Amino acid sequence: MYKRQGEELDTALRRRFEVVEFAPKPNVLTDELIDGIDVRQLLRTINQRLEVLYDRDHLIGHAFFTPLKEDPSLDRLKTIFEFEVLPLLQEYFYDDLSKVGLVLGKPFVLTHPPVQFADFDADAAEALSERRVSRIADIASIDADAFRSIYEKPGNPK
């Protein structure tokens, strides 16, 4: 049976040492809204999606968001996303931005329409002309509504 890279090492370590799972604890985060953003619900929603798309061993920890206790600002949340959450998600999904988009939504992952290629006969031209290119949005330009959209259903705010 196929095993993921590193799984053999994990199994060997678990046999020799006591392993205590330390799951993310959104409840330790501030219960105050940051520009109307419920950080606890934000983390819960991201982790629910990660558990389905990857597994429970790759959830985002609450520690990333604890700096918000001292600096409960949208700018600090943006910094956490830009330098910690987004790079981690890109690593988890090997830069497959469609999966990052499934976790965070359209405001965070921008998809550009297919490119119009020059008139030239090439075997792959037709297939490539359907390919969409995605990129991470400029986090500095993202507003509080974008963060809320991660956990709110359209037209049904919580």
Side-chain angles (χ1 to χ4, degrees):
M1 180 175 204
Y2 172 77
K3 288 191 172 196
R4 290 185 311 191
Q5 180 181 8
E7 193 170 321
E8 296 86 4
L9 180 60
D10 287 348
T11 303
L13 289 172
R14 289 176 192 272
R15 282 194 307 256
R16 289 170 179 79
F17 300 98
E18 183 177 324
V19 176
V20 178
E21 182 178 10
F22 193 68
K25 295 181 177 162
N27 289 338
V28 304
L29 300 174
T30 181
D31 58 354
E32 307 221 357
L33 299 181
I34 298 172
D35 281 15
I37 302 164
D38 183 341
V39 178
R40 290 177 176 178
Q41 189 57 39
L42 178 78
L43 180 59
R44 282 187 195 104
T45 302
I46 289 170
N47 282 335
Q48 287 169 349
R49 293 170 182 168
L50 282 173
E51 190 168 3
V52 171
L53 290 169
Y54 205 154
D55 61 32
R56 71 185 194 121
D57 291 332
H58 290 85
L59 303 182
I60 303 288
H62 59 273
F64 286 116
F65 298 92
T66 56
L68 292 168
K69 286 184 171 189
E70 291 182 22
D71 179 11
S73 68
L74 181 58
D75 285 338
R76 185 66 177 137
L77 182 60
K78 288 180 182 184
T79 300
I80 291 166
F81 262 72
E82 183 172 5
F83 296 107
E84 298 186 57
V85 174
L86 280 163
L88 187 59
L89 292 176
Q90 287 176 277
E91 179 183 325
Y92 282 176
F93 298 123
Y94 302 97
D95 269 336
D96 181 349
L97 296 184
S98 66
K99 287 187 179 169
V100 176
L102 287 171
V103 173
L104 301 178
K106 290 180 181 179
F108 293 86
V109 179
L110 307 175
T111 303
H112 300 286
V115 163
Q116 176 77 33
F117 286 107
D119 184 22
F120 184 78
D121 292 329
D123 294 337
E126 188 173 331
L128 289 172
S129 69
E130 299 298 317
R131 184 170 181 231
R132 294 184 174 269
V133 177
S134 298
R135 67 174 175 81
I136 298 294
D138 175 26
I139 301 304
S141 67
I142 289 186
D143 61 11
D145 289 339
F147 285 97
R148 283 190 297 274
S149 75
I150 292 172
Y151 60 86
E152 289 180 348
K153 292 181 181 176
N156 189 22
K158 291 184 179 179

